[in-house]
Amino acid sequence: ELIYEENYEANKYVCIITATEIRYYEIAHVFSCPIEKEFGTDYPIQGMDYNYLSYEDDYFTNYLELIKEHEWYSTDVELTNQDHLLTLQTCIEAYPEEREIVLCKELNRVSISQ
């Protein structure tokens, strides 16, 4: 069990403010994604591509199963391939062959009046 789980309850929401709206998200999964190098470029391992705009049913089901194998703790937030998702990626200093992924589920959007 990693210490990061202790921070989840106090930091489980993300808010993005654009010129026209505010988007609210809840963190659903925090996991490490193994990276492979090909032709000098880093890629997620097969089945863990986290940068798609939409997911087919079968791929998404398999993707969630792989996430659960690599997640640092469970949040109990349920996801479907119909959800609007926000994916945040960063490096893990001690593990250059992995990326930390924070996968968030959109909860609401509010328009901003101009």
Side-chain angles (χ1 to χ4, degrees):
E1 183 174 354
L2 297 173
I3 193 167
Y4 303 107
E5 184 174 6
E6 296 172 7
N7 295 318
Y8 176 73
E9 282 302 317
N11 300 288
K12 67 182 182 178
Y13 297 106
V14 175
C15 177
I16 295 181
I17 301 171
T18 71
T20 59
E21 63 189 6
I22 302 172
R23 297 178 186 178
Y24 297 94
Y25 297 87
E26 182 175 13
I27 295 173
H29 295 281
V30 179
F31 61 98
S32 64
C33 179
I35 297 296
E36 299 174 324
K37 284 196 179 287
E38 186 173 318
F39 305 114
T41 303
D42 295 342
Y43 293 96
I45 63 168
Q46 186 173 1
M48 290 194 75
D49 295 297
Y50 49 82
N51 56 350
Y52 290 148
L53 295 177
S54 63
Y55 294 91
E56 298 294 327
D57 288 338
D58 289 342
Y59 184 90
F60 193 73
T61 299
N62 291 334
Y63 177 54
L64 290 179
E65 289 302 316
L66 281 171
I67 286 173
K68 290 175 185 175
E69 292 176 20
H70 294 272
E71 71 183 347
W72 294 350
Y73 52 84
S74 176
T75 65
D76 295 325
V77 175
E78 297 290 326
L79 296 178
T80 72
N81 68 333
Q82 300 303 309
D83 290 323
H84 290 231
L85 303 174
L86 170 68
T87 304
L88 306 171
Q89 169 201 319
T90 190
C91 298
I92 305 172
E93 187 173 330
Y95 301 98
E97 68 284 350
E98 296 182 16
R99 299 294 179 267
E100 178 181 358
I101 308 298
V102 179
L103 184 59
C104 308
K105 176 181 182 173
E106 186 178 287
L107 301 174
N108 194 16
R109 287 183 189 206
V110 178
S111 294
I112 299 174
S113 300
Q114 298 291 332

